[in-house]
Amino acid sequence: MAVRKTKHEMPEQKPKDRIKNFNEVPYGYDTKTAIEEAKRCLQCKNRPCVDGCPVEIDIPDFIKQIAEGNIDEAVKVLKTKTSLPAVCGRVCPYENQCEGECTLLKIGEPVAIGRLERFLADYERKKGVKIPKKAKLTGKKVAVVGAGPAGLTCAGDLAKMGHGVTVFEALHAPGGVLMYGIPEFRLPKKIVNSEVDYIKKLGAEVRYDMVVGKTITVDELFEDYDAVFIGTGAGLPRWLRIPGENLDGVYSANEFLTRVNMMGAYRFPEYDTPVKIGKVVATFGAGNVAMDCARTSLRLGAEKAYIIYRRSEKEMPARNEEIHHAEEEGVIFKLLTTPVKFYGDEKGILKEVECLKMKLGEPDESGRRRPVPIEGSNFKIKIDTALVAIGQSPNPLIPQTVKGLKMGKWGNIDTDEDGRTSILGLFAGGDIATGAATVILAMGAGKRAARVIDKYLKSKK
Amino acid sequence: MYKILEKKVMSETVKLMKIKAPLVAKKAVAGQFIILRIDEKGERIPLTIADYDRKEGTITVIFMEVGKTTKQLGTLNVEDSLLNFAGPLGQPSEIEKYGTVVCIGGGVGIAPLYPIVKELKQAGNYIISILGARNEKLLMLEKEIEGLSNELHICTDDGSKGQKGFVSDVLQKLIDDKTKINIVWAIGPVIMMKVVANLTKKYDIKTIVSLNPIMVDGTGMCGGCRVSVGGENKFACVDGPEFDGHLVDFDNLMLRNRRFICEEEESCKLAGV
């Protein structure tokens, strides 16, 4: 029988319905569809998909189990390499990773590895998550700073190895960007919470309101812990640096999303934190965060949501799925357009943005063609809210408060491939080391760091 | 959870609370602030530290009931707890021996001024304090600050206590009297800080102000608290809250502080506070 060339569709909420709620967009596969999709896998000997996975999941093995109907066994295979499958199964850029390496691409669409991963994670959660047998306690203690994807992965793996782990989180909730950044309709918060519960059940403790660098220093952590892992992410918003950016109505993507997601502003006034956006919202940037901003603003009642991006469609850094969903929901893409100035009324409330048309020139250092302004092409758009989603830089708090820590060029902590910093016993990974990247790369870094921390602890008698 | 150990009503709308938070107390110094959240649906709000006791493990905050969260906070009592209490945040005041320091506190701004006066005194400065409020009832910590000051001036808008007039009038008089002033600390309503900074700029007297913009996380992540200082955007939560008053764009700060006034009213109405 010939292999089906396309992925099995994943049912999802219709665009006209979903822009009125914050519920998750896709519903996920049922068991029957998952088995059918799993049967598309060719079980290649050279396993190219595994090479594409930053956390080295044994992809063909769990797919084989699904295809044979052994769902529980498939879950077990999946969970040996990842503690956060429900998250990865939703937010990973599969097309550039596992699915991007799939042999089926030669004849059509790859196996829907992401959807299968999500299916397994959801299946397990509904059934009740089993806690694996813990390794014998080693008596060693590790402090993990930041409860985001890197920190949680590192903490989960270290706990499985039998080390005592305490996660120090600055905010009042776990998850880092999974909680404050990624919206409910893309990653429901109850899923993040249940993944964190799993890590706690593995034995890790999570302490909130712990702003490391302020409440307690890294040096102090070393008094009580044998090793420290820093996974504080890239939380520092970047700005357009154009006139009018401080008007009432201009938010960083971080402020906007934190208000809505972590503080529950979409349920104001039931929740105390407000957000106000008016009728027309312009989001600047075209990454996943920008798509999240534009789609969130529609759900908050915006009549028009623009994505304004200085390059062309091809260069948009967001995942295909996010762009596709945004288009379906009616987000208006103004490409090859760059803002030059915000205008407000006499009260300082944002009213308009002036933009310039761009054209693509020669490739720049990122390999993408550099956008060049077209002189005299200025035009204005009336907007009520501007959301600046042009990237984040590493959080400066820890680097500023650890003496002798070697830093990289962009305010990141300098590490080797496995997360060793210039200080013995101090490790780092995720966006704080690499600069803003993806959830899965942060998880991969947390995983590798856990391995070298384990080695370090064993060598240290 | 962070327990309220002591509550004092300072005036009709101003309350003091001593809160058990040993780790915060261990690190707190003058000039810093905390972020608290009362309950699961609550907002994160910043309050400047009015006092700390490392031995007891407590932080004292003094707050005016201006919005939903501060009003709700005001209804809590001893033995009640807050869900979150993070800090100490922000940069400490730069305390050193300057010589003569004029410490100006306006209204509830007197609260964060208190630990600064204390530390400036300990550093060996000659302290001239100017405390101002709309009326006598809204004056606070007068005794405490008097005990630390070499000179104390009181003024109220309505003349119910001390001199009738503004803190800037008293400061102008000090300057006119040729008082040698090395540095000024001014904490209070934005408009007061603006007036003071404009005055001292004329005489080239360095002036530190403590800003209170709207914040969310308080750790440098959201940029909601950005203020223009010397033409450059700074985050009050991590770069401040204290800045050189001569460089601050107070008008933009006032504008940004009004961002959610309508929502605040709606929230208060709904909560019946």
Side-chain angles (χ1 to χ4, degrees), chain B:
Chain B
M1 298 290 267
Y2 304 84
K3 202 185 256 183
I4 301 168
L5 300 184
E6 200 181 312
K7 179 185 179 183
K8 219 154 81 185
V9 178
M10 311 289 282
S11 75
E12 206 179 313
T13 55
V14 178
K15 297 196 169 123
L16 171 151
M17 277 179 185
K18 196 184 255 189
I19 290 148
K20 184 92 179 170
L23 288 174
V24 185
K26 197 176 156 196
K27 289 285 158 63
V29 286
Q32 294 184 294
F33 68 95
I34 57 91
I35 289 250
L36 66 81
R37 195 170 71 123
I38 299 175
D39 55 34
E40 212 37 68
K41 293 180 179 177
E43 225 180 335
R44 292 170 68 94
I45 60 155
L47 290 174
T48 318
I49 294 167
D51 206 358
Y52 52 87
D53 187 322
R54 298 216 164 105
K55 247 210 239 134
E56 256 182 15
T58 59
I59 294 284
T60 301
V61 291
I62 298 178
F63 56 94
M64 188 185 277
E65 298 172 353
V66 286
K68 200 252 169 177
T69 304
T70 42
K71 283 176 185 170
Q72 189 188 345
L73 187 61
T75 65
L76 299 184
N77 289 304
V78 172
E79 291 296 305
D80 287 337
S81 290
L82 306 175
L83 187 54
N84 299 101
F85 196 88
L89 301 170
Q91 301 297 329
S93 305
E94 279 178 37
I95 304 292
E96 53 183 89
K97 190 169 177 183
Y98 294 100
T100 298
V101 186
V102 175
C103 297
I104 305 176
V108 76
I110 298 171
L113 186 72
Y114 173 57
I116 298 170
V117 176
K118 219 197 269 186
E119 292 188 11
L120 284 168
K121 180 73 186 173
Q122 275 163 9
N125 291 288
Y126 184 89
I127 309 280
I128 304 175
S129 296
I130 308 174
L131 306 183
R134 278 203 313 263
N135 56 53
E136 184 182 5
K137 278 187 189 157
L138 292 173
L139 272 173
M140 63 172 88
L141 300 173
E142 199 190 313
K143 286 260 143 51
E144 287 83 349
I145 289 182
E146 187 175 19
L148 297 166
S149 308
N150 300 83
E151 293 173 32
L152 175 74
H153 302 268
I154 303 277
C155 59
T156 49
D157 297 5
D158 65 357
S160 52
K161 176 105 195 226
Q163 184 185 325
K164 184 174 184 303
F166 302 118
V167 290
S168 47
D169 302 333
V170 180
L171 179 61
Q172 180 73 62
K173 173 122 200 320
L174 288 175
I175 294 168
D176 294 343
D177 290 348
K178 304 272 182 287
T179 312
K180 186 172 166 8
I181 302 170
N182 297 91
I183 190 166
V184 171
W185 243 270
I187 309 181
V190 181
I191 185 71
M192 180 208 96
M193 294 191 281
K194 179 184 170 179
V195 170
V196 168
N198 282 346
L199 174 63
T200 54
K201 199 172 186 176
K202 274 197 285 189
Y203 299 95
D204 203 19
I205 306 167
K206 185 167 182 184
T207 299
I208 306 294
V209 294
S210 177
L211 307 185
N212 57 342
I214 295 170
M215 293 184 188
V216 185
D217 62 286
T219 64
M221 235 177 62
C222 83
C225 68
R226 62 192 186 272
V227 280
S228 174
V229 180
E232 205 185 317
N233 264 350
K234 297 277 183 191
F235 289 1
C237 68
V238 288
D239 303 319
E242 293 189 356
F243 292 104
D244 180 342
H246 296 164
L247 301 177
V248 172
D249 181 346
F250 290 103
D251 294 338
N252 186 247
L253 176 63
M254 282 189 262
L255 178 160
R256 292 187 56 78
N257 276 352
R258 285 195 297 264
R259 287 201 289 158
F260 297 106
I261 279 186
C262 300
E263 288 76 12
E264 193 71 66
E265 265 174 34
E266 188 187 344
S267 205
C268 286
K269 215 186 276 169
L270 198 87
V273 292

Side-chain angles (χ1 to χ4, degrees), chain A residues 32 92-93 97 103 108 126 146 148 240 242 299 364 431 455:
Chain A
K32 192 171 153 264
C92 261
Q97 297 173 8
T103 310
K126 269 180 219 134
L240 292 162
I242 60 174
R299 283 161 176 77
D364 62 13
D431 285 3
K455 228 191 266 171

Side-chain angles (χ1 to χ4, degrees), chain A residues 3 6 48 62 66 104 122 142 149 366 432:
Chain A
V3 181
T6 55
F62 85 69
I66 299 177
L104 282 186
D122 291 356
V142 184
S366 74
I432 189 68

